[in-house]
Amino acid sequence: MDTAKNVKKNLKINRYFLVNKEPLFSDAVNDIMALFKISAAADFLIDNCDNNKLNYGDILIENSYITENNRTNLKTKVCFLNENEDFSYKEIITPTNFREDDKIAVIKKLVKLNILTLIKEITGINPSPWGILRGVRPTKIVHKLLDENKNKEDISQILIDKYSVASDKADLISNIAVHQRNITSLTNDAENSRVVSVYIGIPYCPSRCLYCSFPSYTIPEQQEQLDSFLDALNKDIIDAARLIKEKDFIVESVYIGGGTPTSLNNTDFHNLINLVKENLIGNKTKEFTVEAGRPDSITTEKLETLNKLGVTRISINPQTMQDKTLNIIGRNHSAQEIVEVINKIRQITNFNVIINMDVIVGLPGETEKDLIDTMTKISALKPENITIHTLAIKNNSILKDNLNENALPNIETTIKMLETAKNYAEKLNMVPYYLYRQKNMTGNLENIGYAIPGTESFYNIKIIEERQSIIGIGPAAGTKAVNFENWSLESCYNPKDIFTYINNLEYYLKRRKNLFDLLFKN
């Protein structure tokens, strides 16, 4: 029923009230209203939709079950005052069709879908092209549907109809998931359950970037402090190697990230890479990746180490090729230094390494013209992979604490910039092969990894789709043990703080082992 057909769209909503106190309903409502940046009233729980607390700019939301012909439906009703300050409401009645074991998930999804549909109608605003999908990994839904032998076209339509995803985004993640399955195994074959990846986190950077929320530190001035960390990390690596041997795991990929691993001095860096090669790289390992994000941390000696010890992928992350922006975001290098490092890598004999370069769209002060210049310069360097990030305003970042001092491109400009970056990747014959999202991204958009076919990162695919167990080493590293019978997973994380990691390492090593003992107890 709709008593508000003549209500002018673009109604400005200031706050909302909830009629039903059931947490299942309220959590779902809050999730969607956050998309519209509409906050709950201080006394947001009230008794019924006719409450006289309603003012122009307020809405009341009521969810309830109704039964007709032995069938349970969900009714969502939104009440408000129109521009004439007459009482109006819109409602949707949706069949639930849930099994008892998936009731909670189905109801939450339907509440979100109903609320999104109604608020879009009332305000005329579509807050996100991703509809009710709020998670980091939207492609996981596509893989579940592919497991059910649904085709790509049907999956896209399901995403549009049941999740309110924009058609271009539905096609994008459907195409990505199919492409992933064409290049690597993502099925629940018994042999795949023993194939793992390893992540090693180095928590040091030359400086802290404006947008960064990762736990990172500058290299300590006292070598003794660094040695304490490296001793603990070495124990962590050796223990992981022991676990891999005990469980008869096959290491498919090793990824050393951070922070900036190349922040270590030449000797410590060589020793780390050599230790990893000797203990974690096997004859079935397909890729060995090292993040070398800052050109000011890369030396000729470190590049020789990467070459001689068999590293197959390097990530060089300029984020932008605009010197003015590099200065704003806290980088201690120029765009030209990026060019020089890439050229140096290409000139090393027999170093057939795959290069990924990261770009962030929506950085402070940047325009579409800046982005075009950045992509032109990066294209000239001919990397095999480019990851296009949309700026996310992260908690615990310097940017979050100083938003008033940093003018960001508006949503419309950011969307155009993202499309421009995509066009440059396509001109380099790259295709999108993985995608993930983060909280507080400009325009509720996404991050996309592009690659020339044949150069895709298995680690990036497996870590995003969560269809492979990951062994985490180092501060803040996460270990995820995947159950191949139902794709559930159990996780444990090392502490972010370096000193806590060092002082309590044995405890965290035991937790990691227990995780895999439980999964492979039979």
Side-chain angles (χ1 to χ4, degrees):
M1 183 180 296
D2 184 350
T3 68
K5 291 181 180 178
N6 298 320
V7 173
K8 183 174 66 175
K9 281 191 176 183
N10 305 323
L11 180 71
K12 172 67 174 175
I13 299 176
N14 299 318
R15 59 179 183 167
Y16 69 93
F17 294 85
L18 288 177
V19 174
N20 195 299
K21 299 181 181 181
E22 185 175 332
L24 178 59
F25 292 151
S26 59
D27 290 347
V29 171
N30 293 340
D31 206 25
I32 295 303
M33 297 307 283
L35 280 176
F36 290 90
K37 295 182 170 56
I38 301 172
S39 300
D43 51 347
F44 68 99
L45 290 173
I46 59 178
D47 296 329
N48 60 69
C49 241
D50 296 316
N51 192 283
N52 58 14
K53 285 187 177 181
L54 193 65
N55 296 313
Y56 183 69
D58 295 344
I59 60 168
L60 305 178
I61 300 172
E62 180 178 16
N63 291 286
S64 58
Y65 300 115
I66 58 174
T67 302
E68 296 177 350
N69 301 321
N70 295 320
R71 188 172 187 174
T72 301
N73 298 319
L74 173 73
K75 182 172 79 169
T76 302
K77 185 176 181 180
V78 176
C79 309
F80 54 96
L81 298 182
N82 61 31
E83 64 271 21
N84 298 319
E85 297 199 4
D86 294 328
F87 186 84
S88 302
Y89 71 88
K90 286 178 175 286
E91 66 180 34
I92 296 177
I93 298 176
T94 309
T96 54
N97 296 328
F98 56 75
R99 303 185 308 271
E100 200 57 40
D101 61 339
D102 68 356
K103 175 181 177 180
I104 292 176
V106 170
I107 294 300
K108 286 187 73 171
K109 184 176 78 172
L110 292 178
V111 170
K112 290 179 182 181
L113 191 60
N114 286 356
I115 294 296
L116 181 64
T117 300
L118 292 173
I119 304 304
K120 280 166 62 175
E121 285 184 18
I122 293 170
T123 63
I125 296 171
N126 183 4
S128 171
W130 290 100
I132 66 171
L133 296 184
R134 298 278 276 150
V136 171
R137 301 169 168 85
T139 37
K140 286 183 69 174
I141 293 174
V142 180
H143 282 294
K144 288 181 180 179
L145 294 171
L146 287 170
D147 289 341
E148 298 170 8
N149 296 317
K150 289 184 167 54
N151 63 45
K152 185 171 64 176
E153 291 72 23
D154 288 344
I155 291 172
S156 289
Q157 198 58 51
I158 289 170
L159 293 169
I160 294 167
D161 294 341
K162 297 187 179 300
Y163 296 90
S164 199
V165 175
S167 59
D168 60 330
K169 303 301 183 187
D171 290 342
L172 173 63
I173 58 175
S174 297
N175 288 333
I176 285 175
V178 170
H179 180 65
Q180 289 174 340
R181 290 190 174 216
N182 287 335
I183 60 179
T184 188
S185 177
L186 294 169
T187 60
N188 60 351
D189 301 336
E191 58 189 65
N192 283 338
S193 67
R194 297 281 176 177
V195 179
V196 302
S197 287
V198 178
Y199 174 82
I200 302 167
I202 308 300
Y204 297 109
C205 276
S207 62
R208 186 175 179 85
C209 291
L210 185 74
Y211 50 78
C212 182
S213 65
F214 289 127
S216 58
Y217 305 80
T218 56
I219 291 287
E221 293 182 4
Q222 301 297 321
Q223 183 65 31
E224 291 83 0
Q225 292 183 31
L226 181 60
D227 288 343
S228 295
F229 162 70
L230 292 172
D231 287 345
L233 190 72
N234 291 351
K235 291 177 184 177
D236 203 345
I237 291 170
I238 298 300
D239 183 83
R242 188 183 303 117
L243 177 65
I244 289 165
K245 183 176 181 180
E246 176 188 319
K247 300 300 181 185
D248 195 26
F249 287 154
I250 296 169
V251 177
E252 180 178 49
S253 59
V254 174
Y255 191 106
I256 304 180
T260 307
T262 44
S263 296
L264 299 175
N265 65 43
N266 291 335
T267 300
D268 289 335
F269 183 76
H270 179 276
N271 291 341
L272 169 65
I273 304 301
N274 189 59
L275 186 71
V276 171
K277 178 178 174 60
E278 289 182 348
N279 288 276
L280 300 176
I281 303 294
N283 56 15
K284 293 185 178 180
T285 303
K286 294 180 180 178
E287 63 185 28
F288 184 6
T289 303
V290 175
E291 285 192 3
R294 304 284 195 92
D296 48 326
S297 70
I298 301 171
T299 63
T300 300
E301 291 82 0
K302 290 172 189 174
L303 292 177
E304 290 173 352
T305 289
L306 296 172
N307 184 21
K308 291 177 181 178
L309 296 180
V311 170
T312 62
R313 301 177 63 89
I314 301 176
S315 190
I316 308 287
N317 306 326
Q319 316 302 6
T320 178
M321 296 296 278
Q322 308 304 303
D323 285 338
K324 63 175 184 179
T325 313
L326 289 169
N327 183 57
I328 290 171
I329 65 177
R331 293 284 185 128
N332 299 325
H333 64 82
S334 67
Q336 181 58 32
E337 288 177 82
I338 291 284
V339 175
E340 292 169 358
V341 165
I342 298 293
N343 288 338
K344 187 182 291 186
I345 292 170
R346 298 300 193 197
Q347 290 165 6
I348 297 176
T349 304
N350 298 322
F351 193 20
N352 299 316
V353 70
I354 292 170
I355 295 177
N356 173 78
M357 299 184 74
D358 282 6
V359 175
I360 297 179
V361 169
L363 287 169
E366 290 215 340
T367 64
E368 189 174 5
K369 183 179 178 181
D370 292 325
L371 192 276
I372 290 171
D373 184 67
T374 288
M375 293 307 300
T376 300
K377 290 174 178 175
I378 285 178
S379 297
L381 298 172
K382 296 187 176 353
E384 287 77 19
N385 294 187
I386 298 177
T387 307
I388 309 297
H389 299 264
T390 304
L391 181 66
I393 311 300
K394 301 175 182 177
N395 293 329
N396 302 318
S397 67
I398 300 172
L399 179 60
K400 176 71 179 291
D401 295 334
N402 298 275
L403 276 176
N404 294 335
E405 300 174 17
N406 297 278
L408 304 179
N410 61 33
I411 293 174
E412 292 74 17
T413 299
T414 302
I415 291 172
K416 289 180 182 177
M417 293 165 78
L418 198 63
E419 185 67 20
T420 296
K422 167 193 165 188
N423 292 338
Y424 272 88
E426 289 177 348
K427 288 176 185 176
L428 291 170
N429 298 315
M430 294 182 181
V431 297
Y433 80 98
Y434 80 101
L435 178 151
Y436 68 101
R437 303 184 64 234
Q438 295 169 281
K439 290 181 178 179
N440 303 318
M441 300 183 79
T442 304
N444 292 299
L445 295 167
E446 65 278 333
N447 305 320
I448 304 177
Y450 293 88
I452 296 171
T455 69
E456 299 91 344
S457 166
F458 296 115
Y459 175 84
N460 285 340
I461 294 172
K462 300 296 176 67
I463 193 72
I464 293 300
E465 304 312 331
E466 295 185 328
R467 292 204 166 203
Q468 184 180 79
S469 294
I470 305 290
I471 296 174
I473 296 171
T479 294
K480 298 183 178 181
V482 177
N483 185 334
F484 272 61
E485 292 182 2
N486 56 12
W487 299 119
S488 63
L489 58 84
E490 296 291 336
S491 304
C492 65
Y493 292 85
N494 291 339
K496 296 178 181 180
D497 179 71
I498 293 176
F499 301 105
T500 304
Y501 168 75
I502 294 170
N503 294 330
N504 298 279
L505 180 61
E506 293 300 326
Y507 167 75
Y508 291 102
L509 297 184
K510 184 176 180 180
R511 280 212 315 173
R512 182 173 65 193
K513 184 178 186 304
N514 289 343
L515 205 62
F516 287 104
D517 284 346
L518 182 64
L519 180 62
F520 292 98
K521 59 185 177 182
N522 296 322

